[in-house]
Amino acid sequence: VEFLYCDLASMKSIRQFVQRFRAKNCPLHVLVNNAGVMMVPERKTEDGFEEHFGLNYLGHFLLTNLLLDTLKQSGTHSHNARIITVSSATHYVGELHLNDLQSRCSYSPHGAYAQSKLALVLFTYRLQHLLTANGSHVTANVVDPGVVNTELYRHVFWVIKVAKWMTAWLFFKTPEEGASTSIYAAVSPEMEGAGGCYLYNETRTKSADVAYDEELQRRLWTESCKMVGISDESSRVP
């Protein structure tokens, strides 16, 4: 195991990480996008993005795009490279506000978190469409880990914290159990060549209806490229 530092809340840090990784000239067969914050007070990343959207979504969007060439070079016809992005069941109640992605008009910690998780599902489906259109040996899937007993809940209301402390042993998954579907997506032979899936408990599941809106996927992708400062290569793909 080798550690390379990367702060997903910093576009500069992400670009520096990718440079360091590329310098190693290593193949990249699996990328798991798993960083995140949940229901934090209203605050911004160093780049001025609302923290849920900037870290949970835009950080992974930029990281994935900057590593895409390496992933494409690493995948083969019989062994595709795999991109796994961790979303949440919260995306089912999320609303994507394309005119206010930074939640400036009305900030709600739960709303901002749900929007970031919905954005990850939309991103995954659009990414798989582009990978397929380009004939790339890379698949992209999105995972719902379930309710997992981690420090992600540090910013929730104290009443919820108490309830979590009392019931975690019964209703919450352990971190190991929470990781199982991500691992399944990353290494299972059953997922070889399969992309554009929403997985829960190692099973392909239907995501929110709005996530299948291809026009919304395209618009979010285009806007995301502008926000992180990369060219929108998808404009040539229907």
Side-chain angles (χ1 to χ4, degrees):
V1 176
E2 185 173 352
F3 174 81
L4 291 178
Y5 178 81
C6 182
D7 179 359
L8 268 292
S10 165
M11 302 294 123
K12 179 181 178 181
S13 178
I14 293 168
R15 293 180 183 276
Q16 290 175 339
F17 164 80
V18 172
Q19 286 181 338
R20 288 193 295 268
F21 180 79
R22 283 179 173 170
K24 293 180 175 294
N25 200 31
C26 294
L28 178 58
H29 299 106
V30 177
L31 171 65
V32 181
N33 293 319
N34 187 54
V37 293
M38 184 176 77
M39 296 180 68
V40 298
E42 185 174 10
R43 58 195 189 195
K44 296 180 179 179
T45 67
E46 66 177 43
D47 302 288
F49 300 122
E50 186 278 316
E51 190 167 11
H52 290 99
F53 196 78
L55 194 164
N56 295 2
Y57 170 65
L58 286 178
H60 292 116
F61 179 86
L62 178 61
L63 178 67
T64 302
N65 274 280
L66 294 182
L67 291 173
L68 213 46
D69 284 344
T70 306
L71 284 156
K72 290 177 180 178
Q73 293 163 10
S74 304
T76 66
H77 178 72
S78 57
H79 292 90
N80 283 250
R82 305 186 187 189
I83 301 167
I84 296 93
T85 297
V86 179
S87 181
S88 161
T90 311
H91 92 274
Y92 286 105
V93 297
E95 296 181 28
L96 194 78
H97 301 285
L98 277 171
N99 296 324
D100 186 27
L101 292 172
Q102 305 302 320
S103 302
R104 293 190 179 100
C105 293
S106 176
Y107 183 78
S108 157
H110 184 272
Y113 175 70
Q115 176 180 243
S116 72
K117 291 301 180 178
L118 173 59
L120 289 170
V121 183
L122 289 158
F123 155 67
T124 299
Y125 292 166
R126 181 59 179 167
L127 175 59
Q128 182 58 55
H129 177 80
L130 298 174
L131 291 168
T132 301
N134 292 326
S136 303
H137 298 307
V138 183
T139 59
N141 291 297
V142 61
V143 164
D144 173 3
V147 183
V148 187
N149 188 12
T150 70
E151 287 299 306
L152 193 63
Y153 295 85
R154 72 182 68 176
H155 295 289
V156 300
F157 297 123
W158 69 269
V159 175
I160 299 177
K161 285 183 180 179
V162 172
K164 173 180 175 289
W165 177 75
M166 295 175 64
T167 63
W169 64 275
L170 182 61
F171 297 111
F172 284 59
K173 293 182 179 182
T174 66
E176 291 78 11
E177 291 169 340
S180 65
T181 302
S182 293
I183 295 171
Y184 172 80
V187 302
S188 171
E190 297 174 20
M191 293 302 297
E192 178 56 46
C197 302
Y198 185 86
L199 301 170
Y200 176 65
N201 284 345
E202 303 178 15
T203 302
R204 301 182 197 192
T205 308
K206 187 176 182 295
S207 62
D209 289 340
V210 69
Y212 299 103
D213 185 333
E214 295 182 359
E215 177 61 22
L216 189 60
Q217 295 168 15
R218 281 193 290 268
R219 292 176 64 190
L220 174 63
W221 185 282
T222 298
E223 186 61 28
S224 301
C225 288
K226 294 177 184 176
M227 295 173 85
V228 301
I230 61 175
S231 59
D232 184 7
E233 302 295 336
S234 73
S235 57
R236 296 190 293 270
V237 178

